[in-house]
Amino acid sequence: DIQMTQSPSSVSASVGDRVTITCRASRGIAGYLAWYQQKPGKAPNLLIYVTSTLQSGVPSRFSGSGSGTNFTLTISSLQPEDFATYYCQQANTFLPLAFGGGTRVEIK
Amino acid sequence: QVQLVQSGPEVKKPGASVKVSCKASGYSFTNFGIHWVRQAPGQGPEWMGWSSSYSGNTHYAQKFQGRVTMTTDTSTSTVYMELRSLRSDDTAVYYCARDMATLTVFDYWGQGTPVTVSS
């Protein structure tokens, strides 16, 4: 199985801050990495897929990068609506599809 | 608009089965697969498996093999997920989610179905 490890597990930040979240796969996933945002009581919402492609309607302050086993989600200027939990997901193989443990972005 | 509407909350006793439905609308149903993802309280999402809306083929995570069945009714654009031999650690919110046809990422999700397993 592919394991997905996110860091940090939580981050405290202020509106306007730049926030970076890291996701590491236990083996190469050929760039098939997605990022989701989840707010309490709601389903996850797709932000980015195939490492860096922004889903339609997602603000451009969100960006993704990486290759091989190491990937990054960056929020360039944190907005009040961005306080949420973020998950990465490997989409390369059904063996199995796997999510990271999550990063909670909290208000400082 | 694309919608995935799931059945309501369930409370089950250990050892019982639960069957959750997911009715799709607003798109060509057979062009996209449906996946099931669950999320236990305070935990990250966990992928359970996939069913092809076109062929009915399925692929289950090994963890759930033998306990889960996913079925598709193309006449009503509805996918069902049945989980058997329920345990307390199956308590979670169960989501259906549509994939992006050529990518196994999830662009639309159902609202979630809470399943509580308790004696």
Side-chain angles (χ1 to χ4, degrees), chain B residues 32-103:
Chain B
F32 300 86
I34 293 290
H35 300 247
W36 290 88
V37 176
R38 76 178 188 179
Q39 191 167 26
Q43 303 298 311
E46 179 178 31
W47 180 75
M48 300 179 68
W50 160 86
S51 65
S52 166
S53 306
Y54 175 75
S55 65
N57 287 348
T58 56
H59 185 102
Y60 306 135
Q62 188 165 6
K63 174 177 179 176
F64 300 100
Q65 289 272 3
R67 266 206 320 142
V68 71
T69 301
M70 297 173 189
T71 55
T72 301
D73 181 347
T74 54
S75 69
T76 60
S77 300
T78 301
V79 183
Y80 299 90
M81 186 282 298
E82 181 180 35
L83 188 62
R84 299 177 292 277
S85 301
L86 289 169
R87 308 184 287 255
S88 58
D89 62 358
D90 290 317
T91 294
V93 177
Y94 289 75
Y95 294 100
C96 61
R98 191 189 83 164
D99 65 28
M100 294 181 75
T102 57
L103 292 171

Side-chain angles (χ1 to χ4, degrees), chain A residues 46-97:
Chain A
L46 179 65
L47 298 175
I48 287 169
Y49 57 97
V50 195
T51 299
S52 59
T53 302
L54 212 60
Q55 172 68 341
S56 176
V58 174
S60 59
R61 62 181 179 272
F62 291 92
S63 64
S65 64
S67 64
T69 61
N70 295 304
F71 301 89
T72 299
L73 172 70
T74 299
I75 309 171
S76 60
S77 178
L78 199 65
Q79 297 302 299
E81 60 268 30
D82 301 336
F83 291 97
T85 301
Y86 294 83
Y87 295 98
C88 61
Q89 179 228 328
Q90 76 85 6
N92 186 45
T93 170
F94 270 9
L95 301 176
L97 297 177

Side-chain angles (χ1 to χ4, degrees), chain A residues 29-48:
Chain A
I29 55 173
Y32 288 101
L33 190 284
W35 291 96
Y36 299 84
Q37 177 193 68
Q38 187 176 33
K39 296 184 178 179
K42 299 293 188 182
N45 180 50
L46 179 65
L47 298 175
I48 287 169

